[in-house]
């Protein structure tokens, strides 16, 4: 079923090339787009949630590259823009608002920066939905896995990030 995520690899000799998986069916090669996600995860909550998803053996697409940061407030807009040159979407996962950031206001700073970045992306012709900010507790492995799954589905609909203008949301 091609509408299902590909969760198996190897036995039919998959080839990977920049997030595309080749699936041989009846002798024909069908290319399936698998979006690459860069995930900036704060060391106290987001990355712990990812660890929890792993230790709980929850399944989620393997096309995510996690980058642990001290706090979401440490993430500069240039980090996200640079990540978008190498992936199709960026997830930022941090401590819950309002008061759970271990550095007090880092998550508020991230919230403000992401809102600003979305305006900027729109001006650049990039769909702002390619950047997602989520608050994920250390115990929320399930939420982390669900976030990666739903973000992957959303990016699959958007397609690969191109340099030309994308269709903007209304
Ligand atoms: Fe997690 Fe600041 S320490 S968002």
């Amino acid at each position: 079923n091609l509408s299902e995520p590909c969760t198996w690899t190897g036995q039919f000799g998959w080839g990977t090339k920049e997030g595309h998986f080749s699936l041989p069916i009846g002798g024909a090669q069908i290319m399936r787009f698998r979006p690459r996600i860069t995930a900036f995860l704060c060391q106290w909550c987001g990355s712990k949630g990812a660890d929890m998803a792993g230790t709980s053996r929850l399944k989620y697409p393997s096309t995510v590259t996690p980058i642990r940061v001290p706090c979401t407030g440490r993430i500069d807009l240039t980090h996200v823009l640079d990540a978008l040159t190498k992936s199709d979407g960026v997830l930022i996962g941090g401590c819950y608002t309002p008061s759970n950031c271990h550095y007090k206001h880092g998550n508020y700073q991230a919230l403000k920066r992401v809102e600003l970045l979305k305006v900027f992306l729109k001006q650049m012709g990039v769909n702002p939905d390619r950047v997602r900010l989520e608050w994920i507790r250390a115990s929320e492995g399930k939420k982390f896995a669900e976030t990666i799954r739903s973000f992957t589905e959303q990016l699959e609909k958007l397609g690969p990030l191109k340099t030309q203008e994308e269709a903007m949301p209304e």
Side-chain angles (χ1 to χ4, degrees):
N1 183 351
L2 285 178
S3 64
E4 293 293 316
C6 301
T7 54
W8 40 276
T9 59
Q11 67 195 85
F12 295 109
W14 296 73
T16 60
K17 184 185 171 195
E18 298 193 347
H20 291 76
F21 288 70
S22 172
L23 174 62
I25 294 179
Q29 295 282 327
I30 296 175
M31 297 299 282
R32 180 189 168 87
F33 167 62
R34 298 305 309 270
R36 298 155 301 171
I37 297 173
T38 301
F40 292 103
L41 306 168
C42 95
Q43 64 181 341
W44 298 101
C45 285
S47 68
K48 294 275 197 316
D51 288 347
M52 180 60 75
T55 53
S56 305
R57 295 175 182 255
L58 299 174
K59 288 190 175 179
Y60 59 86
S62 59
T63 45
V64 54
T65 303
I67 298 174
R68 194 167 67 163
V69 293
C71 171
T72 55
R74 177 65 184 82
I75 301 166
D76 193 87
L77 294 186
T78 55
H79 298 148
V80 180
L81 290 171
D82 187 48
L84 280 174
T85 65
K86 301 169 179 71
S87 49
D88 302 294
V90 171
L91 171 71
I92 296 170
C95 304
Y96 265 79
T97 52
S99 58
N100 286 317
C101 173
H102 289 244
Y103 304 97
K104 291 194 178 178
H105 307 299
N107 49 9
Y108 277 121
Q109 289 171 344
L111 183 63
K112 283 191 269 180
R113 284 178 193 154
V114 167
E115 289 306 313
L116 186 66
L117 177 66
K118 282 176 179 269
V119 173
F120 181 57
L121 288 176
K122 209 169 174 180
Q123 290 291 318
M124 287 172 50
V126 175
N127 194 310
D129 291 343
R130 290 190 182 276
V131 176
R132 185 184 281 199
L133 174 63
E134 292 280 350
W135 311 126
I136 302 170
R137 288 192 176 96
S139 60
E140 291 184 320
K142 196 173 168 201
K143 179 171 183 183
F144 177 81
E146 281 170 1
T147 299
I148 297 298
R149 281 196 293 267
S150 71
F151 195 28
T152 296
E153 282 172 19
Q154 185 179 7
L155 292 170
E156 278 175 346
K157 286 180 190 146
L158 290 176
L161 178 52
K162 303 183 193 87
T163 48
Q164 69 259 35
E165 289 206 353
E166 297 185 321
M168 290 293 108
E170 295 294 313

